[in-house]
Amino acid sequence: MGDFVSNLSLGFGVALSLQNLGLAFLGCLVGTLIGVLPGVGPIATIAMLLPITFGLDPVGALIMLAGIYYGAQYGGSTTAILVNIPGEATSVVTALDGHQMARQGRAGVALGIAAIGSFFAGTVATLVIAALGAPLTKLALVFGSAEYFSLMVMGLVFAVVLARGSILKAIAMILVGVLLSTVGTDLETGRERMTFGLSFLSDGIDFAVLAMGIFGIAEIMRNLESTEARDIVHKAIGRLLPNKDDFKQSYWAVIRGTVIGAILGILPGNGAVLGPFASYTVEKKIAKDPRRFGRGAIEGVAGPESANNAGAQTSFIPLLTLGIPPNAVMALMVGAMTIHGIVPGPQVMTKNPNLFWGMIASMWVGNLMLLVINLPLVGMWVRLLKVPYRLMFPAILMFCAIGIYSINSLPTDVIFIALFGLVGYLLIKFGFEPAPMLLGFVLGKLMEENLRRALIFSRGSLSTFIERPVSAGLLAVAVLLLVLALLPSIRKGRDEVFTE
């Protein structure tokens, strides 16, 4: 316990420095902004802002990027409630009841309970991360190359099972990602492979280029083809603080949502996205009168919003302790860490304790800031919703191009984001989920490194992965998951869950 307190105080020392406070505030502000503006998700934004973080110190850079991520979760609920457009994948559920509440003139209460639920969930999740950090890191230090390889295989299998749409497509996307990660120079022999003799490919495909093309540019193209009718509520927003009855109805929903979200957020694969859906389903099943849902039930806002924020923050656990990104945003965080020369994994906590604890403390500080940014400034965010797309998209494209050019000053990078943008757009059209590809790309390099290292230690014998108990256990879980997911009865259930 003494350790825990001293670590947290170290973290707050880092998080409360002027520069880091400023960066956390900036991150939360930008996050809320892109959460509010439909069509630009946190993935695209973090990809666009990666070049800006080169000049910052690593702790500040990651604090800002993390702020953008959970800021977007907050902002997404604002548009979902007021305009019925989920600004973020995770706020789809919030729109169901939140928008109905807004139409009944209770928009303020819906926004208030969303923010309060999110703050509570964020606080709990931050404590969970702090509590689990030390034991998980101790566990991770037992890991050798074989265990790491098996753990990543398991992570990718989770990503397959939890991805939307067909399992085969998800596997295909992951394999394409792993394949793309092998372009460049061979790790051990130093020879070029799959570069087609092009000199700019000898360093491999730049992570920022891939992310920005597949998520930034492709998203814009997808948004251009749908003209959106914005259903803005013209009623007054009303009081923001929920009254006693509202709290009475929703406090259990908030607690349940927090627990569900926190557990699902830890799962590799896109667990954090499932949190709000699971919470909404649970609330509807438990409710005395399930017919209220979809017609403005306050629990339908409180539960999913809490789950959403708890999941967004506990998904940092696998990233910070094991170095495995559970979703696309965390894959971008791995990219940001490697750019700054930090190897994500169990060593982060021992080698850079101020980074680890500073980030955790800054999450709590960020949650506090988001309460301040969101509730009093709601009017401003609503005005922003009136910005027409024809002004927004050219600006985003321009920032993408400038940002990517500023990293390596290579014109080929700008051409590449256009190419990946086109590829990403086609993938979305053909029903492929692009997020697993990014995971495969990030984990591919690490997997190859650990696979080859393990094989060098075992003199080329593959049985090393089965002989080591931890590694064998992880592989067994992976195989079991895949078999279960491919069983027809379970597959049907899985498809039903996703269509719901």
Side-chain angles (χ1 to χ4, degrees), residues 130-290:
L132 283 181
L136 269 178
T137 307
K138 282 198 184 71
L139 171 83
L141 291 176
V142 185
F143 278 28
S145 304
E147 282 82 1
Y148 262 121
F149 175 74
S150 306
L151 183 68
M152 287 175 206
V153 170
M154 189 183 86
L156 289 180
V157 169
F158 260 112
V160 167
V161 176
L162 295 176
R164 273 197 203 102
S166 91
I167 291 187
L168 269 177
K169 283 183 176 173
I171 295 176
M173 289 316 305
I174 284 183
L175 292 178
V176 169
V178 173
L179 202 63
L180 285 175
S181 73
T182 57
V183 173
T185 311
D186 186 299
L187 290 167
E188 275 150 36
T189 61
R191 294 188 55 179
E192 290 191 1
R193 55 185 185 190
M194 293 204 255
T195 57
F196 302 104
L198 299 169
S199 57
F200 56 84
L201 280 179
S202 58
D203 284 340
I205 294 170
D206 195 316
F207 172 75
V209 174
L210 182 72
M212 206 182 281
I214 291 234
F215 288 104
I217 313 275
E219 272 298 293
I220 295 175
M221 290 169 74
R222 198 179 55 104
N223 282 313
L224 279 178
E225 64 175 38
S226 58
T227 46
E228 250 170 31
R230 298 182 183 181
D231 179 8
I232 297 189
V233 172
H234 293 295
K235 285 192 174 156
I237 287 179
R239 62 189 166 84
L240 286 169
L241 275 182
N243 59 18
K244 240 185 177 157
D245 294 337
D246 295 332
F247 272 123
K248 217 168 168 174
Q249 275 179 322
S250 53
Y251 78 97
W252 273 113
V254 168
I255 293 169
R256 281 191 293 263
T258 303
V259 173
I260 294 172
I263 295 169
L264 285 173
I266 300 176
L267 290 183
N270 221 347
V273 172
L274 297 181
F277 291 96
S279 162
Y280 190 79
T281 316
V282 167
E283 290 310 319
K284 205 167 167 178
K285 287 234 162 85
I286 293 179
K288 289 184 184 123
D289 178 14

Side-chain angles (χ1 to χ4, degrees), residues 43-48 50 205-222 332 396-397 400-401 404 413-428 434 437-438:
I43 304 177
T45 310
I46 292 177
M48 284 187 258
L50 274 181
I205 294 170
D206 195 316
F207 172 75
V209 174
L210 182 72
M212 206 182 281
I214 291 234
F215 288 104
I217 313 275
E219 272 298 293
I220 295 175
M221 290 169 74
R222 198 179 55 104
L332 286 167
I396 297 170
L397 271 178
C400 276
I404 208 73
D413 280 358
V414 184
I415 298 166
F416 257 141
I417 58 169
L419 174 75
F420 282 130
L422 194 63
V423 170
Y425 174 70
L426 290 173
L427 288 174
I428 297 169
M437 178 161 112
L438 198 63

Side-chain angles (χ1 to χ4, degrees), residues 36 82 230 232 377-387:
V36 166
L82 295 176
R230 298 182 183 181
I232 297 189
L377 297 179
V378 160
M380 185 178 97
W381 299 123
V382 179
R383 277 197 202 96
L384 266 175
L385 286 174
K386 299 187 175 133
V387 176

